[in-house]
Amino acid sequence: EAGVAQSPRYKIIEKRQSVAFWCNPISGHATLYWYQQILGQGPKLLIQFQNNGVVDDSQLPKDRFSAERLKGVDSTLKIQPAKLEDSAVYLCASSLSAGSLLYEQYFGPGTRLTVT
Amino acid sequence: AQKVTQAQTEISVVEKEDVTLDCVYETRDTTYYLFWYKQPPSGELVFLIRRNSFDEQNEISGRYSWNFQKSTSSFNFTITASQVVDSAVYFCALKPDAGNNRKLIWGLGTSLAVNP
């Protein structure tokens, strides 16, 4: 079974530029998550999708971050404009369903973003 | 308050030693799930175990074992005969109120270094 795919793996941009990350979840997983992980910290949930609807985006800085999952499969996370403090690893995860007993999330390799 | 505490920031052991990673959680929910994830240097978070609040039976999987004690709100993780490949950051996480869309609450992680 293929895992969660993410691209790119690494990205370096200057502040005020824009950047986009892509995620393809495990086939059949209805729930998709985007996390931000700053060095030395645990993952912070940015947004959670159930199919193509947003379940939780309470910690997404909506003035600069946006995400979509138009067809309920793959997803894109965008930052525009980027700030220095956005330097982090952006992790995508998927699970069968947030409400199901099989709640464990499976993570992709992440995208390491450096904003200079 | 919902919280996960991993008091050990860093642990260093010599190969073949046993090591226990502590996890203490706080929740007022009677139904909840606890998880352990491993994050090796490659960065990908790997699911290790899920335990629900009604199942206090300890679990063993190869060299890994988990001790869940509701009386002390702890869910500790022991690696027996550690190996260099066990070097990683280990995260404990809590999902309160299983069955709905509540997000995972993560500890800050314990960085384990297993030296040859």
Side-chain angles (χ1 to χ4, degrees), chain A residues 5-78:
Chain A
Q6 287 188 250
S7 67
R9 291 296 310 277
Y10 304 92
K11 190 73 177 179
I12 301 174
I13 61 172
E14 295 182 353
K15 59 183 180 184
R16 291 187 288 274
Q17 286 186 325
S18 61
V19 64
F21 312 127
W22 174 83
C23 172
N24 191 283
I26 292 173
S27 178
H29 281 195
T31 309
L32 185 147
Y33 314 80
W34 282 104
Y35 287 89
Q36 179 193 60
Q37 187 178 22
I38 294 173
L39 187 65
Q41 299 183 17
K44 170 189 169 184
L45 179 68
L46 294 176
I47 189 166
Q48 176 181 331
F49 291 95
Q50 179 76 13
N51 296 308
N52 60 351
V54 175
V55 172
D56 185 343
D57 63 356
S58 56
Q59 298 190 100
L60 186 73
K62 298 180 186 63
D63 57 334
R64 299 183 300 105
F65 286 63
S66 64
E68 59 184 16
R69 194 186 184 199
L70 294 176
K71 296 182 180 178
V73 180
D74 56 353
S75 176
T76 304
L77 175 70
K78 296 179 181 177

Side-chain angles (χ1 to χ4, degrees), chain B residues 4 6 23-24 34-37 75 90-94 105-107:
Chain B
V4 173
Q6 295 180 255
C23 173
V24 174
L34 294 163
F35 301 82
W36 275 96
Y37 281 85
F75 186 41
Y90 291 86
F91 289 95
C92 180
L94 164 72
I105 297 165
W106 296 80

